[in-house]
Amino acid sequence: MTSPSTSESDTASTSASPAALPEEKIGRLGIPYLFRYWQRKNAAGTGPSEVSGDRDLDCTLLAGLNLNVLETARFFNPIKRPSFEAFEDWIIATNGGAMDDAELARLRAALAGNTVGSAIGSLDGVEGLTSEELAFWDDKGYVVVHDAVEPAHRDEAAAAIYDFLHASPTNPNSWYGRKFGVSIWVPLLRHSAFLANRRSPRLIKAFSQLWGREDLWAIVDQGGLNPPERGDWKFPGPHVHWDATIAPPHRFGVQGILYLTDTPAEQGAFSCIPGFHRRLDEWLGMLPAGTDPRVAIRREPGFVPIAGKAGDLIIWHHLLPHGSSPNRGSLPRVAQYIALRSTRWEYTAEWA
Ligand SMILES: O=C(O)CCC(=O)C(=O)O
């Protein structure tokens, strides 16, 4: 394990990458890319930085360090401009005071361009998506992976969300606390059950089948609690949207949600327009000039809720218009957002 007390900050130039700067620090975590990332983030707002970064590798870095994108962005306070040492201290502290050496080695290798396997070793023999499910994915742009995680971890994750909110599944008034008055997101990131779910073999196998590779990294995402609507609490969204750019060329990408409790269609289920990713180009081409596609998509028919059982993981293509839905049931929808991405992937930099 790497911890502040057992290792020292180390300054060295590196020849690992042609982009390496002479003053590059290896640091106590031993990740040259981390130093370059820190330089770029600290330089934000001060004019063009000399050091360029790759969006995919940035995501791999944060996922491999068990960090959430937003919390990391918040760390880079433009007034304080934290030192590299403070950044590494924060990473280690955020991980509970120590980092797993094997996981760091895997991350180092991947960022250096070496081939790495899955986070849990061989996926041979792990039950994956069937050919029918893969064909369904191709057609509809989403797939439901049943029993994606261990039931014990699933139930523990649901309980952790309620605990985090000081709420109880049996006390309806507790579902509407201030913390989620305007949102269905629950900013719980690293509960042990969340970590266990991200490392579920069946879940990793399904993502690896869709990516066609095993060097995947689980994004550190949050939980969700979508309570039934009532007079003083109306569903705040997310309504139908894309999180990805819809500028061409259109690239592959995935998102995912794990239902932690049974989720009938009317109980605030994840919703999408099945198959839309395949006709996105045509649809965009037919929009009248000056139309904002992100507004126009709200009028598109076919936005349907996807029901599921506790333990079902829905993975969707990131070009599928999607969102959540008002909960007209009697219990909250409880979920964990989970997605895995490969070390590198093709992306379109332009936002539209
Ligand atoms: O919570 C949901 O059902 C939808 C999630 C969503 O819209 C998203 O993750 O972008």
Side-chain angles (χ1 to χ4, degrees), residues 106 117 119 204 207-208 211 213-218 340-342:
R106 177 172 177 261
I204 293 179
F207 277 106
S208 78
W211 279 102
R213 52 200 288 175
E214 296 193 358
D215 61 325
L216 302 185
W217 307 85
L340 273 66
R341 291 193 186 128
S342 52

Side-chain angles (χ1 to χ4, degrees), residues 184-185 238 241 243 255 257 270 316 322-324 333 337:
I184 66 167
W185 315 123
H241 68 284
D243 298 287
Q255 296 176 254
I257 186 170
F270 166 83
W316 68 95
H322 67 276
S324 192
R333 188 205 69 176
Y337 298 96

Side-chain angles (χ1 to χ4, degrees), residues 270-345:
F270 166 83
S271 305
C272 62
I273 307 180
F276 194 87
H277 64 310
R278 291 190 294 108
R279 56 186 176 91
L280 173 62
D281 259 336
E282 188 193 340
W283 181 82
L284 287 171
M286 285 167 52
L287 287 180
T291 309
D292 180 345
R294 290 179 188 268
V295 174
I297 196 63
R298 295 187 208 146
R299 296 189 294 271
E300 190 67 18
F303 187 59
V304 291
I306 311 298
K309 293 280 187 201
D312 280 355
L313 167 76
I314 302 172
I315 308 177
W316 68 95
H317 192 293
H318 69 165
L319 292 176
L320 208 60
H322 67 276
S324 192
S325 55
N327 186 342
R328 307 254 154 76
S330 54
L331 289 171
R333 188 205 69 176
V334 191
Q336 178 182 352
Y337 298 96
I338 299 191
L340 273 66
R341 291 193 186 128
S342 52
T343 307
R344 302 217 72 146
W345 74 87

Side-chain angles (χ1 to χ4, degrees), residues 7-20:
S7 55
E8 297 205 336
S9 172
D10 172 30
T11 305
S13 59
T14 175
S15 56
S17 150

Side-chain angles (χ1 to χ4, degrees), residues 169-213:
T170 55
N171 176 4
N173 279 331
S174 71
W175 304 338
Y176 303 90
R178 227 182 104 84
K179 269 193 170 169
F180 51 96
V182 291
S183 165
I184 66 167
W185 315 123
V186 178
L188 177 64
L189 299 174
R190 273 175 293 270
H191 188 277
S192 57
F194 274 34
L195 300 181
N197 287 338
R198 291 182 194 127
R199 293 177 72 88
S200 157
R202 181 154 161 70
L203 178 145
I204 293 179
K205 175 84 173 208
F207 277 106
S208 78
Q209 285 175 288
L210 300 180
W211 279 102
R213 52 200 288 175

